[in-house]
Amino acid sequence: MDAPSRPSPDFKHSFHALGEGFFAPHKPMPVKAPEFIMLNRDLADQIGMESDWLASPEGLAMVSGNRLPASARSLAMVYGGHQFGHWVPRLGDGRALLLGELIGHDGIRRDVQLKGSGPTPYSRGGDGRSSIGPVVREYLGSEAMAALGIPTTRSLAAVSTGEEVFRDRPEPGGILCRVATSHVRIGTFEYFARRGDDRRVAVLADYVIDRHFQELIACEGRYLDFLKQVTERTADLVAQWMLVGFIHGVMNTDNLSIVGETIDYGPFGYLDAFDPTTAYSYIDRRGRYAWNRQPMIAQWNLSRLAESLLGLIDENESAAVSRANQALDHFKPRFESRFHAGLNAKMGLADVRPGDAELAMDLLERMHAQQADMTLTFRRLGCLDSCDAGRDQSVRELFNEPESFDAWAIDWRQRLAVENRPDADRCKAMNAVNPAFILRNHLAQQAVDAAIEKLDFEPMRRLNRVLGRPYEDQPEHADLARPPRPEERVLHTFCGT
Ligand code: AMP
Ligand code: MG
């Protein structure tokens, strides 16, 4: 009997259609001996790629860059960016290639990209490759983020290349196949604006509005509305990151998506013990991108987007500046309302009342002073009895001085009493917002070490399975819920490009 036919993906090319100046057409460089490490069949089905095709030799050939489907037109996108506050006029995809777009069963058009597929015209001396380490980190990071319900790029597949890349030492090479709603970044707008290429700024803005902000197409003043919406989506995203203790690590303008999705998982990390000033990234010596600075940095980045759009907002520059500032002013209230609503949900409060923000801040301050684990504190809070403090030990023991929690819990119980929600309902609601499992830095590191040192991908696969259901207790995987022991603690995270 004939093997069932497996249609190859039908890539579309709306970005390619923007034409000259937006990208460099470029082919991936083949690799020696590619093998799948991870394959995301559910995602393939969702985005309109036959998962059996992806798992086939043709699928492997695509993901490794060895042979692309006939419908692909690979290209490297150009962008600039403010890196740690300093303008870099041209970055671009130095180790990534966009293959095209797929339209999913849900009607959504998504970019499919290879990362680590060889040098491009934007490689700036880099090898265009990736070690298997960052591939493992990004795969796990993005899939865990998606499972938490936070907007993010996704990982469709990861392969080992059978080749070595040279970092501080030789390491096995890898390629990630990534899916995004958009790969346009704030830095893409900056690139054209700062060259004075007003025409391409307008073409890009129209393209992005057409594809991702369709409700604005017919609006007069749509560029200002666009800025406002990007501002809101970014505020929402940063609030969601912070509520799970996520630190992006390199919030440069080239790493901030125009559609409010988490993108570019480099030296990201999660808080274990709650300390708002934590910055793990090895390259971020001054803590520019620390957990508690992310809202401010996001606003700073959005101001760079606003600058790039000024000419489209109003012909009169000072009018444009004042209107853009009004749009940017939406950030703070939007962020604060999302963040505080989120904290309320994390504390098990169904509505928001005066004094709630102070109650939440009091808890966070005590967690900080007492080195309490952020994830476990909130998760275990869900199971506590709203009337009886006698069974608080599971949370108390997370605080260096348990009495510090006791004092807060008195106020918390008083506040719970106002709502009078049955404990079982509250526990269920809290468990749906307070994950039991996050991608703790030491776990990501263990998965990376096993991959690099032994080409052992089992730790990665197990983590991926467990983190796919972060809001379920999964007692058989309790070892993945606990904080790091002192000797396991990761002090710095690396891009390790
Ligand atoms: P990232 O730190 O991943 O956001 O990358 C910043 C810039 O450096 C982007 O333009 C990347 O494409 C480029 N880049 C990072 N790693 C490499 C590499 N190994 N080879 C070439 N370009 C790279
Ligand atoms: Mg980047």
Side-chain angles (χ1 to χ4, degrees):
M1 210 167 80
D2 285 347
S5 73
R6 293 180 296 218
S8 63
D10 178 19
F11 285 112
K12 310 286 186 208
H13 302 286
S14 69
F15 189 81
H16 190 279
L18 296 182
E20 204 195 315
F22 288 93
F23 57 85
H26 199 77
K27 297 265 177 286
M29 184 182 273
V31 296
K32 214 160 60 189
E35 279 178 39
F36 277 119
I37 303 169
M38 289 293 277
L39 196 59
N40 195 339
R41 281 179 173 269
D42 291 346
L43 181 64
D45 290 335
Q46 191 191 339
I47 67 170
M49 182 184 286
E50 193 72 43
S51 60
D52 285 339
W53 181 87
L54 178 61
S56 74
E58 289 84 7
L60 180 61
M62 177 188 80
V63 175
S64 59
N66 282 1
R67 195 177 59 254
L68 299 183
S71 66
R73 286 186 211 163
S74 56
L75 60 87
M77 293 168 77
V78 69
Y79 50 86
H82 276 87
Q83 299 192 312
F84 294 90
H86 301 288
W87 172 240
V88 184
R90 199 172 81 161
L91 290 161
D93 291 333
R95 54 171 165 160
L97 291 172
L98 180 67
L99 303 184
E101 302 130 24
L102 290 180
I103 299 175
H105 302 302
D106 49 11
I108 297 176
R109 181 186 288 258
R110 296 179 180 86
D111 289 358
V112 178
Q113 193 200 55
L114 300 183
K115 195 168 169 181
S117 48
T120 78
Y122 308 122
S123 293
R124 298 176 299 147
D127 62 0
R129 290 297 187 196
S130 182
S131 156
I132 204 83
V135 170
V136 167
R137 276 179 65 81
E138 176 152 359
Y139 194 104
L140 288 173
S142 67
E143 289 307 296
M145 191 67 83
L148 286 167
I150 301 176
T152 178
T153 60
R154 301 289 306 271
S155 294
L156 184 63
V159 295
S160 56
T161 60
E163 297 179 358
E164 281 188 334
V165 296
F166 292 88
R167 297 299 180 250
D168 290 341
R169 55 178 178 169
E171 292 180 2
I175 299 175
L176 180 76
C177 184
R178 169 164 96 176
V179 175
T181 310
S182 171
H183 279 92
V184 175
R185 304 128 193 277
I186 290 181
T188 321
F189 281 91
E190 287 179 289
Y191 173 81
F192 296 109
R194 289 189 169 240
R195 292 159 64 98
D197 189 346
D198 299 343
R199 186 184 74 77
R200 286 197 176 83
V201 175
V203 168
L204 184 65
D206 287 335
Y207 171 71
V208 170
I209 291 172
D210 239 39
R211 184 168 161 192
H212 307 288
F213 298 84
Q214 285 173 358
E215 66 282 11
L216 302 181
I217 294 173
C219 294
E220 216 182 305
R222 64 186 184 280
Y223 301 114
L224 187 68
D225 289 343
F226 164 57
L227 176 62
K228 196 172 139 195
Q229 289 218 9
V230 179
T231 300
E232 290 177 356
R233 287 193 196 186
T234 307
D236 292 354
L237 180 67
V238 174
Q240 291 182 81
W241 285 352
M242 289 175 66
L243 289 164
V244 293
F246 179 75
I247 306 163
H248 182 285
V250 242
M251 281 179 75
N252 295 332
T253 55
D254 52 299
N255 289 338
L256 226 69
S257 154
I258 205 71
V259 294
E261 256 172 17
T262 317
I263 190 168
D264 278 8
Y265 291 81
F268 69 90
Y270 281 85
L271 296 178
D272 293 306
F274 181 75
D275 177 349
T277 64
T278 305
Y280 292 113
S281 171
Y282 189 70
I283 46 178
D284 188 13
R285 295 295 175 92
R286 295 174 144 187
R288 177 180 169 90
Y289 298 144
W291 180 82
N292 61 351
R293 288 177 55 96
Q294 296 182 110
M296 203 189 76
I297 292 293
Q299 265 177 296
W300 191 90
N301 288 346
L302 288 163
S303 301
R304 307 287 80 76
L305 174 64
E307 282 168 5
S308 308
L309 297 174
L310 283 181
L312 295 176
I313 291 173
D314 201 305
E315 283 169 9
N316 176 314
E317 194 179 325
S318 69
V321 169
S322 109
R323 297 171 75 192
N325 277 330
Q326 278 171 20
L328 294 171
D329 284 344
H330 282 277
F331 187 93
K332 195 163 181 276
R334 177 80 176 207
F335 168 78
E336 283 177 356
S337 82
R338 292 298 151 119
F339 185 59
H340 284 289
L343 283 174
N344 265 37
K346 288 178 84 68
M347 295 190 295
L349 301 175
D351 53 14
V352 180
R353 294 178 183 238
D356 288 352
E358 289 74 14
L359 184 69
M361 288 303 143
D362 186 23
L363 175 60
L364 293 181
E365 278 161 26
R366 287 167 194 270
M367 284 164 58
H368 182 199
Q370 299 295 326
Q371 301 185 310
D373 183 81
M374 180 182 186
T375 303
L376 290 186
T377 300
F378 282 109
R379 181 73 182 184
R380 293 183 183 176
L381 201 57
C383 315
L384 300 192
D385 191 298
S386 59
C387 303
D388 178 6
R391 292 199 293 263
D392 284 1
Q393 189 52 22
S394 65
V395 182
R396 298 180 82 241
E397 69 186 20
L398 301 171
F399 289 64
N400 288 344
E401 296 161 323
E403 304 73 31
S404 174
F405 175 73
D406 297 341
W408 179 81
I410 293 170
D411 294 342
W412 178 60
R413 288 198 162 88
Q414 274 175 6
R415 176 63 183 84
L416 287 181
V418 177
E419 290 189 354
N420 206 13
R421 190 160 48 148
D423 274 357
D425 294 357
R426 177 180 52 83
C427 176
K428 200 168 156 213
M430 289 177 79
N431 282 350
V433 294
N434 292 324
F437 297 93
I438 53 161
L439 181 55
R440 292 183 186 270
N441 308 331
H442 70 290
L443 299 175
Q445 192 59 48
Q446 286 165 11
V448 164
D449 290 344
I452 291 185
E453 279 152 31
K454 294 178 277 182
L455 286 175
D456 172 7
F457 301 104
E458 265 325 299
M460 173 197 190
R461 292 183 184 125
R462 177 175 173 228
L463 260 180
N464 190 57
R465 275 194 305 274
V466 175
L467 293 171
R469 297 184 291 137
Y471 298 108
E472 293 173 29
D473 278 321
Q474 309 182 58
E476 66 280 23
H477 298 296
D479 58 312
L480 301 183
R482 69 163 172 81
R485 300 192 183 96
E487 71 277 12
E488 291 173 321
R489 204 166 285 151
V490 174
L491 301 177
H492 295 295
T493 52
F494 297 86
C495 294
T497 54

